[in-house]
């Protein structure tokens, strides 16, 4: 009996060791991580995207991955990036953040699903002492002021809109008949808006039109609608507007490139020509449309700078280091990425 118990004891001990080993391996695999950042050449960063299928966000994701690789090569510090898609669910995103923290991420980068609903994430991060870099979907000031380890990286929406408006205003000044196609002295436009709760939709909508008016372009709004940043939703709206206002739409002002591309899809399906369209983002397909001449122009944010600054802040915070000296943050927490107009290159 003794021998048998002894043998079982050995087997039990063996399985205990195996289980312990597996558990350790699981914990280490989380966030793709291994060692603790402190003193060791490794940082773990959890990133949660509001929707992985958003074109602009996808472009930023690509740049983040590139930047992480470049940083590893430059410094020898291993960067474990764990990028998750919240698929439009705040609940899923909250769970992702909880998981990042429990797996020992040193810092988290969050593209909020609902930017007015950040308190749960801030509470969790503060309790665990994990800094948060928000991006693209800006939390309200009151939330941002809750802790000195909260940052926001984004594109100034008023600046985007003023630049967008100036694309049309400059063309009108040089060549009014290229915008006012029917020559009635008024530019008739339709407006495609992003999500109603997004800071960018509200401010871009207001300032692109205001810039046209301030520049002396006579404008008349035919109609507008919310297409939630999405190409297919914008395409459906544009299809309907082309039927409602046959031959009358001269300009499409879109809060982003993807919706402008949706409008182009509808215009091409309807076989209409002579409508000018402007977007914002400078996404890969947006810039291609500008080159092809279907999109008059767009306002491109510098994606390399966007991801570069995000990574610089995230890595410095993860390693418990000071932020780079040349990085100037507004109020110590906001960074506004630079942008420029993209028009078709003269050949
Ligand atoms: C905007 C961008 C849109 C969309 C949105 C998502 O800044 O212009 O294309 O990506 O963010 O929050």
């Amino acid at each position: 009996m003794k021998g048998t118990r002894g043998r079982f004891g050995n087997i039990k001990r063996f399985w205990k060791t195996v289980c312990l080993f597996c558990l350790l391996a699981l914990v280490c695999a989380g966030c793709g991580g291994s060692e603790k950042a402190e003193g060791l050449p490794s940082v773990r960063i959890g990133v949660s995207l509001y929707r992985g299928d958003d074109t602009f966000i996808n472009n930023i994701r690509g740049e983040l991955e590139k930047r992480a690789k470049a940083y590893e090569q430059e410094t020898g510090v291993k960067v474990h990036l764990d990028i998750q898609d919240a698929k439009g669910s705040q609940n899923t995103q909250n769970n992702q953040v909880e998981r990042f923290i429990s797996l020992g991420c040193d810092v988290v980068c969050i593209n909020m699903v609902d930017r007015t609903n950040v308190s749960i994430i801030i509470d969790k991060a503060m309790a665990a002492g994990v800094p948060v870099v928000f991006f693209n979907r800006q939390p309200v000031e009151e939330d941002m002021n809750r802790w000195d380890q909260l940052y926001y990286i984004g594109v100034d929406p008023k600046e985007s809109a003023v630049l967008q408006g100036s694309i049309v205003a400059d063309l009108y000044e040089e060549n009014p008949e290229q915008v006012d196609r029917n020559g009635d002295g008024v530019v008739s436009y339709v407006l495609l808006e992003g999500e109603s709760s997004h800071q960018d939709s509200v401010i871009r909508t207001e300032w692109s039109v205001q810039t046209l008016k301030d520049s002396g372009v006579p404008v008349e709004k035919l109609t507008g609608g919310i297409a939630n940043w999405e190409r297919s939703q914008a395409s459906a709206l544009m299809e309907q507007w082309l039927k409602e206002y046959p031959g009358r739409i001269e300009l499409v002002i879109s809060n982003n490139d993807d919706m402008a591309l949706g409008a182009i899809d509808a215009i091409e399906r309807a076989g209409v020509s002579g409508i000018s369209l402007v977007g914002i983002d400078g996404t890969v397909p947006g810039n291609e449309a500008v080159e092809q001449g279907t999109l008059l122009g767009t306002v491109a944010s510098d994606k390399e700078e966007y991801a570069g600054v995000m990574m610089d802040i995230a890595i410095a915070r993860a390693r418990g280091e000071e932020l780079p000296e040349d990085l100037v943050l507004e109020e110590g927490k906001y960074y506004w990425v630079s942008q420029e107009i993209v028009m078709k290159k003269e050949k």
Side-chain angles (χ1 to χ4, degrees):
M1 276 305 275
K2 211 176 163 201
T4 322
R5 257 217 324 261
R7 207 171 69 228
F8 275 125
N10 282 341
I11 294 172
K12 256 168 121 182
R13 257 197 306 283
F14 169 76
W15 283 112
K16 257 189 190 167
T17 317
V18 170
C19 287
L20 204 71
F21 187 76
C22 292
L23 206 72
L24 267 171
L26 263 176
V27 170
C28 292
C31 264
S34 50
E35 323 87 329
K36 188 88 197 116
E38 224 170 280
L40 286 167
S42 161
V43 288
R44 284 159 289 173
I45 304 174
V47 182
S48 171
L49 310 177
Y50 93 107
R51 276 180 47 179
D53 61 0
D54 177 297
T55 310
F56 177 67
I57 296 300
N58 239 306
N59 286 185
I60 300 290
R61 176 197 183 133
E63 287 299 326
L64 277 175
E65 286 165 339
K66 270 197 226 159
R67 183 73 197 110
K69 280 209 185 79
Y71 184 85
E72 280 185 2
Q73 275 161 7
E74 284 159 22
T75 63
V77 174
K78 178 103 190 84
V79 181
H80 300 287
L81 261 191
D82 183 351
I83 304 185
Q84 298 291 327
D85 179 1
K87 298 199 166 111
S89 157
Q90 190 54 61
N91 207 20
T92 302
Q93 186 163 61
N94 294 347
N95 293 336
Q96 286 170 349
V97 173
E98 193 165 292
R99 181 180 157 273
F100 288 151
I101 291 173
S102 71
L103 293 175
C105 282
D106 304 300
V107 61
V108 292
C109 298
I110 310 296
N111 176 216
M112 288 301 302
V113 173
D114 177 356
R115 69 189 190 94
T116 61
N117 214 340
V118 283
S119 48
I120 296 179
I121 288 181
I122 296 180
D123 287 346
K124 285 185 205 293
M126 281 175 80
V130 173
V132 188
V133 181
F134 292 104
F135 64 104
N136 170 259
R137 301 166 73 89
Q138 188 180 351
V140 295
E141 211 182 327
E142 206 184 320
D143 287 320
M144 287 300 294
N145 288 339
R146 284 186 55 197
W147 192 28
D148 64 0
Q149 295 299 311
L150 305 177
Y151 301 90
Y152 177 74
I153 319 276
V155 178
D156 177 356
K158 182 176 169 187
E159 185 184 49
S160 317
V162 170
L163 289 171
Q164 183 185 46
S166 74
I167 297 176
V168 180
D170 290 352
L171 183 64
Y172 185 82
E173 201 185 300
E174 269 172 40
N175 219 338
E177 61 278 11
Q178 249 195 287
V179 196
D180 178 16
R181 291 277 176 164
N182 59 14
D184 66 352
V186 187
V187 176
S188 307
Y189 71 91
V190 295
L191 212 147
L192 285 163
E193 290 179 47
E195 293 159 280
S196 56
S197 57
H198 200 300
Q199 78 281 346
D200 289 345
S201 316
V202 184
I203 301 173
R204 288 177 186 175
T205 298
E206 181 188 344
W207 283 97
S208 52
V209 175
Q210 193 55 46
T211 304
L212 287 174
K213 290 182 179 161
D214 292 348
S215 314
V217 181
V219 285
E220 168 204 30
K221 181 173 180 178
L222 293 175
T223 187
I226 296 171
N228 296 309
W229 310 119
E230 281 187 40
R231 184 168 181 157
S232 57
Q233 289 190 34
S235 170
L237 278 182
M238 189 66 191
E239 187 173 309
Q240 187 189 319
W241 296 341
L242 285 166
K243 287 182 193 141
E244 273 171 38
Y245 303 94
R248 290 187 58 201
I249 304 173
E250 294 170 310
L251 172 67
V252 178
I253 303 174
S254 176
N255 280 173
N256 79 340
D257 285 353
D258 253 19
M259 295 189 294
L261 294 174
I264 293 170
D265 294 339
I267 290 171
E268 285 174 353
R269 277 200 306 274
V272 178
S273 61
I275 300 177
S276 303
L277 298 100
V278 277
I280 289 177
D281 279 347
T283 57
V284 174
N287 290 341
E288 275 166 15
V290 171
E291 261 323 288
Q292 282 157 10
T294 48
L295 186 61
L296 171 64
T298 184
V299 179
S301 43
D302 186 331
K303 321 284 178 308
E304 222 180 292
E305 178 188 334
Y306 205 126
V309 171
M310 264 179 78
M311 277 304 189
D312 282 353
I313 297 179
I315 291 172
R317 288 293 88 144
R319 291 172 61 81
E321 290 167 356
E322 289 297 312
L323 298 183
E325 260 177 32
D326 56 347
L327 185 65
V328 183
L329 300 180
E330 194 180 292
E331 293 171 43
K333 59 180 101 198
Y334 294 99
Y335 184 86
W336 304 108
V337 178
S338 47
Q339 13 186 3
E340 61 175 12
I341 288 174
V342 177
M343 302 277 289
K344 193 175 169 134
K345 287 184 198 77
E346 298 295 334
K347 293 245 159 81

